[in-house]
Amino acid sequence: MAMAMEEEELLGLFQVMEALLDDPQWSEAHPQPCTETPWPGVECEVSTDDPQNPIFHITKIHVGPDILSPPCKSSAYISKSLTKLSYLKTLSIFNCFVDSPVTLPSTLFGSFSSLEHLALQSNPTLHGELPSSLGEVSSLRVLSLSQNSFQGNIPRKIGFLPCLEQLDLSYNNLSGQIPLEIGGLKSLTILDFSFNGIEGNIPHSLGQLQQLQKMDFSSNRLNGKIPFDLGMLKRLVLLDLSHNFIVGPIPQTLSGLENLEYLIMDDNPIKARIPLFIGSLLKLKLVSFSRCGLTGSIPNSFSALKNLSALSLDNNSLKGQVPPSLGLLPNLDQLNISNNMLYGVLDLNGDFIGKLGERLDVSGNNELCISDQQNKKNLSSYLEIPSCMSMMRTLNGTSIVQGPPEDPAGIKPSCSHSHYFSFCQSSELGKGINNMRNQITNVNEYEAIAKQKLPKMVYDYYASGAEEQWSLNENRDAFSKIVLRPSILIDVSKVDMTTSVLGFKISMPIMIAPTAVQKMAHPQGECAVARAASAASTIMTLSTMSNYSFDEVASTGAGIRFFQLYVGIYTVYTTNLVRRAERAGFKALVLTVDRPYIGRREADIKNGMPPNMTLKNFEGLDFGEQNKAGSSISQARRHFDASLSWKDVKWLQTITSLPILLKGVLTAEDARIGVQAGVAGIIVSNHGARQLDYVPASIMVLEEIVKGVEGRIPVFVDGGIRRGTDVYKALALGACAVFIGRPVVFSPAAEGESGVTNVLNMLREELQLTMALCGSPSLKHITRRHIFTPSDPATFPSNL
């Protein structure tokens, strides 16, 4: 018996696919999509309503890069003919809407819909408010709208969906408060609102979600205390409230989270003690309270967490000794307690220290030392803390402790005792120890530390510029020629630094530029930088010349990442890099256009190139030189294309749907050509002054280029940015955001991943303060009127 489709339903399918795909003959190629002419993204089921006349119905449409590349046409949209597919259960559209603005029509949804699974993900131009009619699709089980550009409030009606099991609205621009009605989703197992701008308190009603296993509200603007009702979520496995404004103390009721495995609270002003009940949550695998203002000591109750694999308590105000029992946890593989006020002897098992290696960070605790036992004698410099003996004997070149202090009555404990710091904190020894390490107070100080710690060849490679280095110095000096014009008596009690770049929301207009061979600065190289960028909710750009591969960087965890591309003389080389970047989830390409040849960097000529630096992104690419001696950097450079031109930009657009930014533009003329070529944005850059000397500082041509593109595409800038005031000046001249480069290699040379985190935090805090003092409560309030440049007339126009 022949089975067919209803004509109206088939026509609806054709119209839906025509609106999405760049294939005008799709309907002709697939006239019977359920039988003879199937398409991999369309699935059908046989209706059993009438056994005598069985008929096919469309039940699933999936469009994404796993089916086609690019998956959609540039003018793709969601056709209203979707309502003709009354049996459709699954609609998933990934990486489709990347060029033209698209909204989600409210008429597509309602009680008439049979949708069970709606997934619209990674569509940067899908914007507008979420239609409240989504709350009328009573059959909906999965609603996943992550990594789009939706704005406005979360519709209250979503809280009335009786079957909803997964709700993921992460990585959008949503605002307002979490609706109380969400607490009525009795079947919900996954709730993810991360990376938005959601405000207010966490509703008490969420304690009613008895099936919930994942709650991720990270990177929002939530405030207040954690509601005690969350302790009723007996099945919760992951709780991530990091990067908000939540205050302590943490309620005792959370001791009821008996299945919790991941507790992440980083970057909240908790300012309270670590709750003792955490030691009773025996399934915990990861606990992270970085930068939370924690006080008190590290509780001994952590010793009960036999499943714990990662513990991060860095950058707090914790005091006391490090519990030796931490070194006995069988699965602990990462421990970061750096930058606290811990003291005494670090009495961790030597095998434990060796096992963790660089994943153990105890630096930045000025009164912490390691014992002088034979099996630990070489660990002092490795852990960046002094040996207890050297700490006692020498301070500023003078002997201050030759033996126990005078105490004829024998009442005071000896300062040579293993716990001597608990008594001697107020003594001259303790005061001296506190001064052993000066606190880093600004980004510039990292370069001085890196210069001391790195080999000269490596430091010079990072720090030097082209020829006489006039442009290198000008990159910094130019900022000092721009002065600020603050506005007064403006409410700056709240300062909002969040913004969006290519549709991706970030916490501040400060991103990480591509820098090569970062492993020379720190063994974890680009992976450490990627983790720091993700923790700061900003974008990291991976260099073509990286020591770690796309996949290795992607494996560090979720994050928004761009890939900087050098076009090679062989198209297969470039295509291979682009495809690998796409597969690893990178969101944009940064095409460097100012390097047909390598600039004359005289420090590199004198020192030579760093040897034996493997460039992981070149593995598997046969240059015919793989077995030759010499630097992989030099080998790779010989294959960059000096004939790169505007036609190559057009070609690149044919092989990828990723947005393309041009990096290395210094004139308005070139920027206008870039607009005509359809690039997604411009990065004003002189390549860190490493290519051509005597070109202007990037900041000095920024305004010219901003005016040249006339608002048609975003403009960014890099070069010489070391202060929050520098960022503010760039934004006032029209930049949408800035990139920082050298600080990202100097800081890990000094402090590893925590150094990069500190750089981003310092720039964030400096920018926030500058905005407040200049009367700019948000980025849109930063205007050209707030600065004065050398090119401005002597009398600043009042109407500018």
Side-chain angles (χ1 to χ4, degrees):
M1 180 183 299
M3 289 183 285
M5 287 184 63
E6 292 180 353
E7 184 176 344
E8 182 73 3
E9 186 177 358
L10 183 60
L11 178 61
L13 175 65
F14 291 160
Q15 292 169 338
V16 168
M17 303 307 282
E18 181 183 4
L20 295 172
L21 305 183
D22 191 12
D23 184 359
Q25 279 77 47
W26 192 90
S27 59
E28 297 177 15
H30 306 279
Q32 300 181 56
C34 295
T35 53
E36 280 81 2
T37 56
W39 192 71
V42 172
E43 294 182 8
C44 310
E45 292 181 7
V46 179
S47 171
T48 57
D49 294 343
D50 184 358
Q52 300 301 319
N53 297 292
I55 191 169
F56 275 113
H57 292 296
I58 302 296
T59 56
K60 178 179 179 179
I61 296 177
H62 169 64
V63 178
D66 55 329
I67 302 292
L68 290 173
S69 182
C72 299
K73 60 184 180 182
S74 60
S75 58
Y77 65 96
I78 301 176
S79 171
K80 293 183 180 179
S81 294
L82 197 66
T83 57
K84 297 178 181 179
L85 307 180
S86 55
Y87 291 84
L88 189 67
K89 296 179 181 179
T90 299
L91 175 64
S92 57
I93 303 176
F94 295 177
N95 298 95
C96 183
F97 310 116
V98 297
D99 293 315
S100 302
V102 178
T103 58
L104 201 56
S106 60
T107 54
L108 295 181
F109 309 103
S111 56
F112 56 83
S113 176
S114 59
L115 272 176
E116 298 178 4
H117 188 129
L118 176 60
L120 308 176
Q121 298 179 11
S122 301
N123 299 288
T125 61
L126 182 58
H127 70 114
E129 295 190 356
L130 296 176
S132 60
S133 56
L134 283 169
E136 300 172 15
V137 185
S138 59
S139 56
L140 206 57
R141 293 186 298 105
V142 175
L143 179 58
S144 181
L145 305 177
S146 65
Q147 299 187 58
N148 298 298
S149 298
F150 288 116
Q151 304 114 16
N153 297 338
I154 300 171
R156 294 172 54 197
K157 280 189 175 182
I158 290 180
F160 300 125
L161 295 171
C163 302
L164 196 64
E165 299 173 6
Q166 298 181 24
L167 177 57
D168 185 353
L169 305 179
S170 60
Y171 288 91
N172 281 284
N173 299 311
L174 299 173
S175 55
Q177 299 188 1
I178 300 173
L180 294 174
E181 290 78 6
I182 298 295
L185 299 172
K186 304 299 184 183
S187 301
L188 202 64
T189 61
I190 293 177
L191 178 60
D192 192 343
F193 292 162
S194 60
F195 288 88
N196 280 286
I198 300 170
E199 301 172 331
N201 296 335
I202 300 173
H204 288 267
S205 62
L206 300 187
Q208 303 172 31
L209 303 176
Q210 296 298 302
Q211 304 300 316
L212 198 66
Q213 298 177 28
K214 172 185 176 181
M215 178 186 290
D216 189 347
F217 292 163
S218 60
S219 299
N220 281 284
R221 302 175 202 165
L222 297 170
N223 53 44
K225 296 183 178 181
I226 300 173
F228 64 86
D229 308 69
L230 295 193
M232 301 167 61
L233 303 178
K234 303 296 185 182
R235 299 192 179 188
L236 198 65
V237 174
L238 181 146
L239 177 61
D240 188 348
L241 304 178
S242 60
H243 303 282
N244 281 287
F245 300 94
I246 294 169
V247 298
I250 296 172
Q252 180 70 25
T253 54
L254 294 195
S255 61
L257 302 179
E258 56 193 34
N259 285 298
L260 196 66
E261 296 181 11
Y262 304 92
L263 176 59
I264 308 169
M265 298 294 299
D266 303 335
D267 291 287
N268 281 289
I270 293 175
K271 297 182 179 178
R273 290 177 172 269
I274 301 173
L276 296 178
F277 70 76
I278 288 183
S280 67
L281 303 178
L282 300 182
K283 292 188 178 181
L284 277 173
K285 296 179 180 177
L286 182 150
V287 175
S288 191
F289 280 87
S290 302
R291 299 170 297 278
C292 288
L294 296 178
T295 59
S297 59
I298 301 175
N300 287 314
S301 59
F302 277 125
S303 62
L305 302 179
K306 304 303 182 185
N307 294 304
L308 193 66
S309 61
L311 176 61
S312 297
L313 303 173
D314 55 286
N315 292 279
N316 287 291
S317 298
L318 296 171
K319 297 181 179 180
Q321 297 178 354
V322 179
S325 56
L326 290 179
L328 302 177
L329 292 175
N331 292 300
L332 192 60
D333 195 53
Q334 180 174 324
L335 175 61
N336 189 351
I337 51 176
S338 62
N339 298 305
N340 282 284
M341 293 183 283
L342 301 169
Y343 55 76
V345 178
L346 182 68
D347 192 14
L348 297 177
N349 181 281
D351 292 337
F352 172 81
I353 295 175
K355 180 184 75 169
L356 265 63
E358 293 175 355
R359 298 184 301 280
L360 172 62
D361 192 348
V362 298
S363 61
N365 292 284
N366 291 343
E367 298 185 8
L368 190 65
C369 66
I370 192 164
S371 71
D372 296 275
Q373 298 173 18
Q374 181 65 27
N375 60 345
K376 295 182 179 179
K377 64 180 181 180
N378 296 321
L379 294 177
S380 174
S381 59
Y382 177 76
L383 295 174
E384 299 184 25
I385 59 174
S387 71
C388 299
M389 188 64 67
S390 64
M391 179 177 278
M392 287 190 295
R393 286 181 175 174
T394 307
L395 183 63
N396 296 327
T398 61
S399 176
I400 62 173
V401 177
Q402 297 297 336
E406 293 185 10
D407 181 22
I411 298 174
K412 298 178 182 179
S414 168
C415 282
S416 61
H417 188 269
S418 63
H419 303 297
Y420 71 93
F421 284 107
S422 61
F423 168 73
C424 296
Q425 287 183 82
S426 60
S427 69
E428 184 177 356
L429 172 61
K431 292 176 183 177
I433 292 168
N434 282 329
N435 294 323
M436 286 181 68
R437 174 180 172 178
N438 294 324
Q439 183 179 1
I440 295 174
T441 56
N442 64 72
V443 170
N444 287 311
E445 293 177 3
Y446 277 113
E447 180 171 357
I449 297 173
K451 187 173 184 179
Q452 294 176 350
K453 298 186 71 171
L454 292 174
K456 184 177 186 300
M457 172 189 290
V458 174
Y459 171 78
D460 286 352
Y461 176 82
Y462 288 140
S464 63
E467 297 184 352
E468 295 183 6
Q469 304 189 124
W470 180 88
S471 295
L472 180 68
N473 295 323
E474 187 67 9
N475 270 358
R476 285 297 306 132
D477 293 344
F479 279 101
S480 66
K481 300 170 187 175
I482 304 171
V483 296
L484 301 173
R485 303 181 71 251
S487 300
I488 62 171
L489 296 178
I490 294 174
D491 182 2
V492 288
S493 57
K494 293 183 178 179
V495 176
D496 181 10
M497 293 183 290
T498 59
T499 187
S500 292
V501 172
L502 302 183
F504 299 104
K505 184 173 180 180
I506 55 178
S507 66
M508 57 182 172
I510 303 168
M511 301 177 286
I512 293 179
T515 50
V517 287
Q518 294 177 11
K519 197 172 182 179
M520 294 195 302
H522 188 271
Q524 295 183 23
E526 293 85 3
C527 291
V529 174
R531 287 192 294 268
S534 297
S537 300
T538 192
I539 293 170
M540 177 248 196
T541 311
L542 183 70
S543 170
T544 292
M545 310 285 283
S546 60
N547 295 127
Y548 285 93
S549 68
F550 300 105
D551 292 333
E552 287 172 322
V553 171
S555 69
T556 61
I560 306 167
R561 302 183 182 103
F562 295 170
F563 173 60
Q564 175 270 328
L565 175 67
Y566 288 121
V567 171
I569 57 178
Y570 304 115
T571 57
V572 64
Y573 148 83
T574 304
T575 303
N576 179 285
L577 290 176
V578 171
R579 292 286 176 264
R580 290 165 64 192
E582 290 172 335
R583 288 195 299 268
F586 285 69
K587 303 301 183 184
L589 297 180
V590 175
L591 177 63
T592 296
V593 294
D594 60 356
R595 189 170 150 167
Y597 295 96
I598 303 299
R600 183 179 175 82
R601 303 164 194 169
E602 295 178 1
D604 291 348
I605 295 173
K606 293 177 179 179
N607 297 332
M609 291 303 299
N612 303 321
M613 293 304 297
T614 301
L615 305 178
K616 284 291 190 74
N617 290 328
F618 291 87
E619 288 185 344
L621 299 178
D622 184 8
F623 291 149
E625 301 177 337
Q626 296 301 313
N627 296 320
K628 290 186 178 181
S631 169
S632 295
I633 300 175
S634 301
Q635 291 179 10
R637 283 175 171 178
R638 289 196 291 271
H639 294 273
F640 294 156
D641 192 355
S643 69
L644 183 69
S645 66
W646 289 106
K647 66 178 176 59
D648 296 294
V649 176
K650 284 295 186 183
W651 168 77
L652 193 58
Q653 291 169 332
T654 67
I655 68 167
T656 182
S657 61
L658 294 178
I660 299 172
L661 302 176
L662 294 189
K663 179 180 182 292
V665 178
L666 290 176
T667 67
E669 305 93 275
D670 283 337
R672 283 191 286 267
I673 298 174
V675 172
Q676 295 168 2
V679 300
I682 296 290
I683 302 177
V684 182
S685 173
N686 60 20
H687 210 112
R690 291 163 64 80
Q691 282 296 97
L692 179 62
D693 204 8
Y694 292 99
V695 295
S698 304
I699 192 68
M700 283 307 181
V701 295
L702 171 61
E703 188 170 27
E704 167 195 335
I705 292 172
V706 169
K707 291 178 178 178
V709 303
E710 299 177 330
R712 288 174 288 181
I713 57 175
V715 177
F716 311 97
V717 66
D718 70 13
I721 295 165
R722 301 293 187 273
R723 287 283 190 180
T725 51
D726 298 338
V727 180
Y728 188 93
K729 293 171 184 179
L731 298 177
L733 286 169
C736 295
V738 306
F739 287 88
I740 58 170
R742 286 185 173 95
V744 175
V745 290
F746 290 144
S747 55
E751 292 185 323
E753 180 183 332
S754 62
V756 186
T757 297
N758 199 27
V759 162
L760 294 171
N761 285 339
M762 285 191 291
L763 290 176
R764 183 202 305 272
E765 292 168 2
E766 289 180 9
L767 175 60
Q768 185 178 32
L769 179 62
T770 305
M771 289 174 64
L773 296 179
C774 285
S776 303
S778 70
L779 300 185
K780 68 180 180 182
H781 291 99
I782 302 176
T783 68
R784 180 62 171 82
R785 183 174 175 77
H786 284 103
I787 59 170
F788 186 91
T789 72
S791 62
D792 291 332
T795 302
F796 205 86
S798 61
N799 62 348
L800 187 62

